[in-house]
């Protein structure tokens, strides 16, 4: 499955699959591709897939249906979904601002968006905790209002919003920049209101890219460990994330149990991405029709 | 400043690994040279000491002391350090980190290596005092002036008292915390395990944040202002007070606690292969020398040496301490309390 934004549809008929390649030496290129993918992805993945069977099917099932594991999976994937949803809205807004307006400091803001990619996530977690802890500069006033962010599930969502934001912005922004303004102008001259233009013209064109970005942000957030453990509080059943349970199992030299939880996470992430991809395909087809 | 310690730990690990890679390359070329012109002790002898978090400052000073005490070695001796959570470090060694010696928080972590054939099963008897050259204990760190009047273990489960401790599943230090609490519950209940279990369950209901490691908990308590009392190793408590100035925190020694014995061992399989057994053994034996014992005391570990102990009698309050042997040793304690589904996990079963 591909997560890259679909190329703009050119209207040409589909060609035979080997003609006119820019890259010479098709067998060599394909050979390198497959070898590389095997080394980097398939080998570690198959190790992950094989390990849980040391426990047998029932052992695997016992591990992943343990109430604490279920709670942790719910927290990890629930927080990731919530964070990805919030990022969908705010990421779209940021991409819009960055590609449609010029203002002083735009380049700086543009560069800032990439920061969560570059920053070690532990640093992000520590910084967010310092700010949102009940004695932090933002946490203190919030605590007076009775809102606690650090050491609650809200803190997890906050950290996940942080790590996921650039995925949405960076997938939507190029498509938005390529989008012809004439289309919007045409819509306006045909009598569409600004809201109609945004909703019926711009958003459908952006939807596939937006879904890709949200999918990436979701998948990244579900597996996030480094930033979350600092801010989560890590209370079992309440704010304990699935990757932490994996670490706990590893800490006890329970490799098979850890791999079982890992496999469950993989299956859930894969299902989530598959759903988003299907939705994206549907939207893309509708956009072309 | 603890924030930066955590980061530093990771980068230091990486540097150490890089150094090892360089070392392997260096040894290969040194080997080629040696084939042409044999020289005794060509390169500086090196040791890798894989340790846990709170020993960073102590071993930095001890390594310098050890190098001074080894004038016989022509090239001198260089000891490299790696620090991290005790369990994580043990796993790194199991997974192939070439440690000549390990100096960890728990005998259980060294037992795991012994189980996998890296270390002889009788390692604990090879050095005096169960191979633990220094000890520590679990104390309470409270806010300045002790506003919640916390004096004993029973005070910890009073309503409104928030207790900070790391997760015993991920932190060796936290297992000592847990066992010290269990010991109190047992004594309180006249030796009834059900009473101990009730006490420990009540205690963990007062815990709002479970960090994964001891330093993380210290940060949560001292920097983030969460909780009324931190259960900490005595050496960590001293360090936190020193780092923060005496202004913010006080140490309270509970009436009973547990004798924490951080053990040391030579990793047999590695020293055999690298030919560093003599040096590694000298390194660990040196920890029992009076100078090293004094150094340990200055770094807030309780020394074993009676003479040195006497000098630091004011610093280390005498407590009634149980030992891990009272719990039947680590394998038994591990199985009963910390294994999957054991007592600690049952505290967090959904009701």
């Amino acid at each position: 499955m591909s997560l890259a934004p679909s190329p703009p549809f050119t209207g040409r008929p589909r060609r035979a699959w080997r003609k006119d390649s820019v890259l010479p030496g098709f067998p060599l290129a394909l050979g390198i591709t497959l070898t590389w993918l095997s080394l980097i992805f398939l080998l570690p993945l198959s190790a992950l897939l094989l390990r849980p069977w040391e426990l047998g099917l029932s052992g695997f099932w016992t591990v992943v249906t343990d109430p604490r594991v279920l709670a942790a999976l719910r927290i990890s994937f629930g927080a990731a979904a919530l964070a990805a949803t919030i990022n969908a809205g705010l990421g779209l807004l940021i991409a819009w601002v960055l590609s449609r307006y010029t203002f002083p400091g735009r380049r700086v803001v543009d560069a800032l968006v990439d920061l969560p990619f570059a920053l070690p996530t532990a640093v992000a977690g520590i910084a967010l905790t310092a700010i949102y802890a009940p004695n932090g500069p933002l946490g203190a006033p919030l605590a007076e209002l009775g809102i606690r962010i650090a050491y609650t599930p809200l803190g997890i969502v906050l950290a996940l919003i942080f790590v996921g934001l650039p995925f949405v912005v960076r997938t939507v922004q190029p498509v938005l920049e390529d989008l012809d303004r004439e289309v919007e102008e045409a819509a306006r001259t045909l009598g569409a209101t600004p809201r109609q233009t945004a909703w019926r013209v711009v958003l459908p064109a952006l939807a596939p890219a937006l879904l890709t970005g949200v999918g990436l942000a979701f998948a990244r957030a579900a597996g996030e460990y480094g930033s979350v453990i600092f801010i989560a509080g890590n209370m079992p059943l309440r704010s304990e994330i699935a990757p932490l349970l994996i670490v706990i199992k590893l800490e006890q030299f329970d490799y098979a149990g850890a791999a079982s939880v890992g496999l469950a996470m993989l299956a859930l992430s894969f299902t989530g991405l598959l759903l988003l991809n299907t939705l994206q395909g549907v939207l893309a087809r509708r956009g072309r029709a | 400043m603890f924030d930066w310690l955590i980061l530093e730990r990771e980068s230091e690990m990486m540097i150490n690994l890089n150094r090892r890679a360089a070392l392997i390359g260096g040894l290969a070329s040194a080997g080629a040279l040696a084939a042409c012109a044999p020289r005794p002790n060509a390169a500086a002898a090196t040791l890798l000491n894989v340790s846990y978090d709170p020993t960073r400052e102590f071993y930095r000073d001890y390594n310098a002391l050890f190098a001074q005490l080894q004038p016989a070695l022509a090239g001198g001796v260089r000891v490299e350090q790696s620090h991290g959570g005790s369990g994580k470090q043990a796993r790194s060694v199991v997974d192939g980190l070439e440690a000549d010696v390990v100096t960890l928080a728990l005998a259980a972590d060294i037992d795991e290596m012994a189980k996998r054939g890296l270390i002889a099963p009788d390692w604990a008897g090879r050095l005096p005092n169960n191979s633990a050259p220094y000890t520590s204990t679990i104390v309470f760190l409270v806010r300045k002036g002790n506003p919640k009047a916390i004096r004993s273990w029973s005070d910890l489960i009073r309503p409104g008292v928030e207790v900070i401790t790391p997760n015993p599943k991920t932190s060796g230090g936290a297992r000592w915390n847990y066992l010290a609490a269990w010991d109190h519950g047992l004594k309180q209940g006249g030796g009834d395990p059900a009473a101990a279990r009730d006490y420990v369950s009540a205690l963990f209901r007062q815990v709002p944040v479970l960090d994964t490691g001891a330093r993380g908990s210290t940060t949560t308590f001292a920097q983030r202002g969460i909780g009324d009392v931190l259960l900490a190793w005595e050496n960590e408590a001293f360090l936190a007070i020193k780092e923060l100035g005496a202004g913010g925190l006080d140490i309270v020694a509970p009436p009973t606690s547990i004798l924490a014995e951080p053990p040391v061992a030579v990793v047999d399989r590695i020293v055999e292969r690298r030919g560093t057994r003599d040096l590694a053994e000298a390194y660990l034996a040196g920890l029992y020398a009076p100078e090293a014992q004094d150094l340990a005391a200055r770094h807030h570990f309780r020394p074993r040496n009676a003479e040195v102990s006497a000098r630091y009698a004011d610093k280390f309050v005498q407590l009634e301490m149980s030992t891990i042997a009272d719990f039947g040793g680590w394998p038994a304690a591990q199985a009963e309390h910390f294994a999957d589904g054991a007592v600690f996990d049952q505290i967090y079963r959904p009701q």
Side-chain angles (χ1 to χ4, degrees), chain A residues 221-281:
Chain A
E224 172 64 14
Y225 175 76
S227 60
V228 175
I229 51 158
F230 289 98
I231 201 166
N234 307 323
M235 296 309 293
L237 304 170
R238 197 146 53 81
S239 56
E240 185 177 61
I241 54 168
L244 174 61
L245 263 188
I246 293 179
V247 171
I248 286 175
K249 289 192 184 294
L250 285 178
E251 211 67 50
Q252 295 169 306
F253 301 88
D254 177 10
Y255 290 83
S260 300
V261 183
L263 190 60
M265 290 191 69
L266 195 70
L268 284 172
S269 288
F270 188 75
T271 314
L273 288 176
L274 207 61
L275 279 177
L276 278 172
N277 248 34
T278 316
L279 187 61
Q280 186 196 359

Side-chain angles (χ1 to χ4, degrees), chain A residues 66-68 123 126 129-130 133-135 148 151 225 229-230 233-237 244 248-255, chain B residues 3 7 87-88 91 95 112 116 167 169-170 207-212 220 223-226 338-340 345 348-350:
Chain A
D66 176 75
R68 223 169 120 189
V123 178
I126 291 167
T129 313
N135 66 356
R148 283 192 59 169
Y151 310 117
Y225 175 76
I229 51 158
F230 289 98
N234 307 323
M235 296 309 293
L237 304 170
L244 174 61
I248 286 175
K249 289 192 184 294
L250 285 178
E251 211 67 50
Q252 295 169 306
F253 301 88
D254 177 10
Y255 290 83
Chain B
D3 300 0
L7 298 176
K88 192 167 82 186
R91 215 171 47 252
D95 291 342
E112 284 294 335
R116 286 160 174 76
N167 188 337
K169 304 275 272 192
T170 51
V207 177
V209 175
L210 276 178
D211 281 289
T212 51
T220 299
Q223 310 278 92
R224 311 280 171 253
I226 305 282
F338 308 120
D340 249 354
D345 277 348
Y348 288 107
R349 283 263 170 268

Side-chain angles (χ1 to χ4, degrees), chain A residues 103-122:
Chain A
F103 53 92
R106 192 181 69 92
R107 275 171 202 284
V108 179
V109 177
D110 202 22
L112 275 180
V113 170
D114 281 334
L115 219 55
F117 279 146
L119 207 62
T121 50

Side-chain angles (χ1 to χ4, degrees), chain B:
Chain B
M1 72 287 155
F2 287 106
D3 300 0
W4 304 116
L5 286 179
I6 293 163
L7 298 176
E8 186 199 337
R9 175 202 317 163
E10 293 185 349
S11 59
E12 193 170 309
M13 271 285 279
M14 259 151 62
I15 291 166
N16 274 334
L17 291 175
N18 287 341
R19 277 208 206 129
R20 291 211 67 79
L23 190 73
I24 291 162
L27 281 179
S29 47
L33 272 178
C36 314
R39 289 176 300 170
N41 290 325
T46 61
L47 284 180
L48 175 64
N49 175 7
V50 169
S51 194
Y52 65 112
D53 276 330
T55 59
R56 176 189 312 274
E57 294 81 8
F58 166 63
Y59 276 109
R60 190 187 54 214
D61 290 356
Y62 175 68
N63 292 344
L65 179 72
F66 178 69
Q68 278 172 22
L69 296 175
Q70 301 292 320
L73 286 163
V77 53
R78 207 176 69 228
V79 185
E80 291 169 357
Q81 288 294 136
S82 163
H83 296 273
S86 188
K88 192 167 82 186
Q89 294 291 76
R91 215 171 47 252
S92 301
V93 175
V94 167
D95 291 342
L97 180 63
E98 295 211 310
D100 300 284
V101 299
V102 286
T103 54
L104 296 175
L106 296 180
D109 288 328
I110 299 185
D111 285 336
E112 284 294 335
M113 286 176 236
K115 223 189 275 174
R116 286 160 174 76
L118 286 157
I119 295 176
D122 66 340
W123 63 269
R126 294 194 295 204
L127 285 165
N129 305 111
N130 303 324
S131 286
Y134 41 80
T135 66
S136 191
T137 189
I138 302 302
V139 296
F140 304 158
L141 200 60
V142 298
R143 308 272 168 216
K144 188 76 191 168
N146 198 358
K148 297 248 167 144
I150 292 157
R151 311 244 170 267
S152 74
W153 289 96
S154 318
D155 295 331
L156 300 184
I157 56 170
R158 275 202 321 246
V161 173
E162 286 195 330
V163 182
I164 303 295
T165 170
N167 188 337
K169 304 275 272 192
T170 51
S171 157
R175 272 174 236 176
W176 292 111
N177 292 351
Y178 173 99
L179 291 177
W182 183 271
D183 178 63
H184 163 81
L186 212 53
K187 282 181 178 139
Q188 192 100 58
D192 179 10
R197 180 187 294 232
D198 287 347
Y199 173 75
V200 171
S201 304
L203 177 67
F204 275 90
R205 274 197 289 277
Q206 316 271 81
V207 177
V209 175
L210 276 178
D211 281 289
T212 51
R215 285 264 156 114
S217 279
T218 310
T219 306
T220 299
F221 180 75
Q223 310 278 92
R224 311 280 171 253
I226 305 282
D228 303 302
V229 52
L230 172 75
L231 305 186
W233 289 64
E234 186 177 47
N235 56 301
E236 280 283 277
F238 274 118
L239 205 62
I241 287 198
K242 198 179 86 185
E243 298 272 337
L244 291 165
L249 305 167
D250 284 335
I251 291 179
V252 172
T256 64
S257 194
I258 190 164
L259 182 69
E261 296 179 293
V264 301
V266 167
V267 185
D268 295 296
R269 194 189 284 170
I270 308 291
V271 294
E272 289 304 336
R273 192 167 64 226
R274 297 191 61 227
T276 47
R277 175 175 286 282
D278 290 347
L279 192 62
E281 281 176 353
Y283 181 77
L284 294 187
L287 290 168
Y288 292 86
E291 299 96 317
Q293 290 280 299
D294 193 83
L295 198 62
R298 267 182 279 146
H299 284 282
H300 321 298
F301 287 100
R302 295 185 174 218
R304 291 284 198 181
N305 182 301
E307 241 168 75
V308 179
S309 289
R311 270 208 300 281
Y312 288 91
D314 288 349
K315 178 171 178 174
F316 301 112
V317 182
Q318 286 308 306
L319 310 171
E320 185 193 333
M321 285 194 260
S322 55
T323 70
I324 187 63
D326 299 331
F327 292 84
W330 273 112
Q334 194 78 17
E336 191 186 340
H337 296 283
F338 308 120
D340 249 354
V343 177
F344 180 71
D345 277 348
Q346 288 165 20
I347 296 176
Y348 288 107
R349 283 263 170 268
Q351 303 297 308

Side-chain angles (χ1 to χ4, degrees), chain A residues 2-102:
Chain A
S2 134
L3 278 171
S6 342
F9 187 61
T10 51
R12 267 178 292 164
R14 185 176 279 254
R15 299 191 191 176
W17 63 291
R18 273 194 60 180
K19 260 188 206 164
D20 273 1
S21 175
V22 188
L23 203 64
F26 172 75
L28 184 65
L30 187 68
I32 292 175
T33 305
L34 291 182
T35 313
W36 188 242
L37 281 180
S38 306
L39 279 175
I40 299 294
F41 289 122
L42 295 181
L43 221 60
L45 264 181
S46 50
L48 178 63
L49 290 174
L50 289 177
R51 205 74 198 233
W53 307 121
E54 287 171 14
L55 300 170
L57 192 61
S58 65
F60 169 76
W61 195 246
T62 315
V63 170
V64 299
T65 53
D66 176 75
R68 223 169 120 189
V69 174
L70 286 179
L73 288 172
R74 212 163 25 239
I75 290 161
S76 270
F77 284 90
L82 186 57
T85 312
I86 295 172
N87 272 334
L90 287 171
L92 183 63
L93 182 76
I94 292 174
W96 183 270
V97 167
L98 286 177
S99 56
R100 285 299 158 96
Y101 303 105
T102 46

